[in-house]
Amino acid sequence: MPTEAGGAPLFTRAIVRIPGSNFADGLTTVDLGVPHFDEVLKQHSTYCDALRACGLELTVLDPDLRHPDSTFVEDTAILTPQVAIFCRPGAASRQGEVTAIKPAVERFYFSTFTIEAPGSVDGGDICEAGSHFFIGISHRTDAEGARQLAICLNALGYTASTIDVRGMTSILHLKSGISYIGDNTLVVMDEMASNPLFSRFELIRVSAEESYAANCVRVNNRVLVADGFTRMTADLEARGFNPLALDMSEFRKMDGGLSCLSLRF
Ligand code: CIR
């Protein structure tokens, strides 16, 4: 994978999908109210501008009203430099999103792999950390999906390990609780920080009050972080990172975070 001097992945492109007018009909486990659609569109547009400001060329897909959650494109695929791995989302209402995104991904990838039934994998459970992948076992990603994915990743030269997050009621996906931001650094919710699998990484711990901010995204020389989490933003700065805060209030209402809104490669 091409990297910047600090070892962070260097992305040149991203795929995003504009939220549909039925966005509020998507799945959610939180009780933060109904998203305001005007605000959803505004926040999505600001997010896209932020990716462009980080140097990415965007493929912007039209809303897909058949799938209210389809703006959360991250869950449909895992894009490695060599191969695009198509997921099989654990929620039945989201499985059609994979077929819908395929043409956009296949424009850039000759080589693809697909997670097959009965396995399920949501991209939000997959955290790439250099040459290693953490695979979350969640209520969306199961052991069979993780097994298929690990075989594929191993064949590509990556190592993989699983982390069971099913007991953690505050997170939907593994990446709701951890993010790899390059420079051997993991951002991790306090509750997960003692996992021995993380011992070789520098950790930025996120307190329970700021746990939503654990889902952040390194894009070239910036780290996208949810707005309003001052300690987390200060911690990033103190470690030499360059945070870019974005209002995520409306996506949060539907269990969405910064990483879910794009496929970066
Ligand atoms: C869902 O429940 O599937 C969506 N409402 C939210 C998906 C968020 N995706 C992610 O964290 N990767």
Side-chain angles (χ1 to χ4, degrees), residues 24 30 38 43 60 64 77 86 113 134 140 146 169-170 172 174-175 200 212 217 223 247 264:
V30 292
D38 288 351
Q43 290 180 6
V60 182
D64 176 1
F86 290 111
F113 178 87
F134 295 110
R140 299 290 178 85
T169 49
S170 65
L172 176 66
L174 175 67
K175 270 192 297 192
R200 71 182 174 87
Y212 179 71
V217 189
V223 177
D247 190 354
R264 304 157 297 277

Side-chain angles (χ1 to χ4, degrees), residues 90-173:
S93 66
R94 301 202 57 194
Q95 285 174 356
E97 292 176 32
V98 177
T99 310
I101 207 153
K102 264 188 178 167
V105 172
E106 285 172 346
R107 271 188 59 210
F108 300 104
Y109 281 90
F110 292 117
S111 187
T112 64
F113 178 87
T114 302
I115 303 295
E116 304 285 358
S120 64
V121 171
D122 274 21
D125 278 313
I126 313 308
C127 178
E128 167 274 323
S131 60
H132 187 75
F133 279 75
F134 295 110
I135 304 174
I137 304 292
S138 69
H139 296 296
R140 299 290 178 85
T141 296
D142 66 11
E144 170 57 18
R147 188 190 67 80
Q148 292 178 30
L149 177 59
I151 290 172
C152 175
L153 291 171
N154 292 161
L156 293 169
Y158 299 101
T159 53
S161 53
T162 58
I163 299 178
D164 193 337
V165 298
R166 285 172 296 187
M168 302 185 61
T169 49
S170 65
I171 60 174
L172 176 66
H173 288 123

Side-chain angles (χ1 to χ4, degrees), residues 26-28 69 72 74-75 91 94 122-125 140 172-173 176 215 254-257 259-260:
L27 304 170
T28 189
D69 278 313
F72 300 119
E74 175 183 64
D75 293 317
R94 301 202 57 194
D122 274 21
D125 278 313
R140 299 290 178 85
L172 176 66
H173 288 123
S176 322
N215 180 266
M254 302 307 291
D255 268 332
S259 67
C260 356

Side-chain angles (χ1 to χ4, degrees), residues 16-94:
V16 297
R17 187 184 288 285
I18 297 171
S21 53
N22 58 354
F23 174 71
D25 296 339
L27 304 170
T28 189
T29 61
V30 292
D31 192 13
L32 296 172
V34 179
H36 301 290
F37 189 56
D38 288 351
E39 205 49 38
V40 172
L41 291 180
K42 225 163 80 189
Q43 290 180 6
H44 192 265
S45 160
T46 306
Y47 178 87
C48 292
D49 288 343
L51 293 181
R52 291 188 188 98
C54 293
L56 304 195
E57 190 177 318
L58 299 196
T59 299
V60 182
L61 304 176
D62 288 337
D64 176 1
L65 295 177
R66 296 163 305 168
H67 304 109
D69 278 313
S70 56
T71 195
F72 300 119
V73 290
E74 175 183 64
D75 293 317
T76 62
I78 300 147
L79 302 184
T80 74
Q82 313 92 324
V83 173
I85 302 167
F86 290 111
C87 296
R88 182 168 180 272
S93 66
R94 301 202 57 194

